[in-house]
Amino acid sequence: MMTALGDPTRREIFERLSARPSPVGELAASLPVSRPAVSQHLRVLRDVGLVRDEPAGTRRIYSVDHAGLAVLRTYLDQFWSRSLTAFAAHAQREETEDDANSD
Amino acid sequence: MMTALGDPTRREIFERLSARPSPVGELAASLPVSRPAVSQHLRVLRDVGLVRDEPAGTRRIYSVDHAGLAVLRTYLDQFWSRSLTAFAAHAQREETEDDANSD
DNA sequence: GCTCTAGGTTAGTGATAACTTACCGTTAGC
DNA sequence: GCTAACGGTAAGTTATCACTAACCTAGAGC
């Protein structure tokens, strides 16, 4: 999922979809890559649950999947809380060492 | 920054650092890649502001940079709010179209 | 001061993946 | 029913990048 957003083009696509759901052709027209390339990127994004697609006549409207975005946010928050905990533990240890030095 | 976390090995390193600040050797010992590879990954992470390093004798202790993590969270939240706005606009449009159909 | 440890750097290599071209399926409109 | 538009798929190519091996630098301890 993070790997999916690692690619700049894919991030750009995801960014545009977050602003407005769009069909494939519209995305490809405003991007420096071909339409098949966009299709492949969308497939990757869909496979990891970051976007959804909905048929609309002969077109498919892609939009960001809020559930996937929530997973991503939760994933990041884990880093956040864990690093804070580690930092607190580090501070605690520093303090203990200071106590040891003070005698 | 997102590109930096796109690589699985780099994510693994970042994950371990979020649990506990560590020197390079310790990271390399518990990873399936060589020490220079870890050094290169750490350089990338440091350049985008996701980790900090602090000299400790002959070693360097790496730890996650909370500022960088905050930037990342803000970046994700933009997607979140924007997609919600787009979704609301979509719903509004649907409703308007329903109104148009109802007469 | 010499050695040993820890780690950053460079050059070269191999594998991954993003991209294009060509092709095929599907739906809407005449 | 035929045609055109939209889009997904496959094969092939190229470029990026992660990795290793070799080398160099700096601090610590005897």
Side-chain angles (χ1 to χ4, degrees), chain B residues 26-83:
Chain B
E26 185 178 317
L27 290 170
S30 62
L31 285 171
V33 295
S34 68
R35 186 190 49 72
V38 175
S39 269
Q40 289 161 6
H41 283 309
L42 286 171
R43 186 155 125 89
V44 173
L45 289 173
R46 182 165 50 80
D47 284 351
V48 300
L50 282 173
V51 306
R52 301 181 312 133
D53 61 331
E54 181 186 7
T58 165
R59 299 188 295 184
R60 299 193 78 83
I61 310 299
Y62 282 84
S63 57
V64 327
D65 189 334
H66 297 98
L69 204 48
V71 170
L72 209 60
R73 200 222 281 258
T74 302
Y75 176 68
L76 263 206
D77 279 352
Q78 280 181 6
F79 283 140
W80 186 268
S81 58
R82 276 206 298 174
S83 69

Side-chain angles (χ1 to χ4, degrees), chain A residues 19-75:
Chain A
R20 172 167 43 114
S22 310
V24 179
E26 184 178 317
L27 289 171
S30 61
L31 285 172
V33 295
S34 69
R35 186 190 49 72
V38 175
S39 269
Q40 288 160 6
H41 283 309
L42 286 170
R43 187 156 124 87
V44 173
L45 289 172
R46 181 165 52 80
D47 284 350
V48 299
L50 282 173
V51 305
R52 302 181 310 134
D53 61 331
E54 181 187 7
T58 163
R59 300 187 294 184
R60 299 193 79 83
I61 309 298
Y62 281 83
S63 56
V64 327
D65 190 333
H66 297 99
L69 205 47
V71 171
L72 209 61
R73 202 222 280 258
T74 301
Y75 176 70

Side-chain angles (χ1 to χ4, degrees), chain A residues 9-30:
Chain A
T9 303
R10 219 139 51 207
R11 265 202 311 281
E12 180 69 29
I13 291 175
F14 188 68
E15 196 162 336
R16 302 199 183 197
L17 289 183
S18 78
R20 172 167 43 114
S22 310
V24 179
E26 184 178 317
L27 289 171
S30 61

Side-chain angles (χ1 to χ4, degrees), chain A residues 79-88 90, chain B residues 1 14 17-18 21 49-52 63-74:
Chain A
F79 283 140
W80 187 267
S81 57
R82 278 206 299 173
S83 67
L84 283 186
T85 303
F87 181 75
H90 179 69
Chain B
M1 176 168 256
F14 188 69
L17 288 183
S18 77
L50 282 173
V51 306
R52 301 181 312 133
S63 57
V64 327
D65 189 334
H66 297 98
L69 204 48
V71 170
L72 209 60
R73 200 222 281 258
T74 302

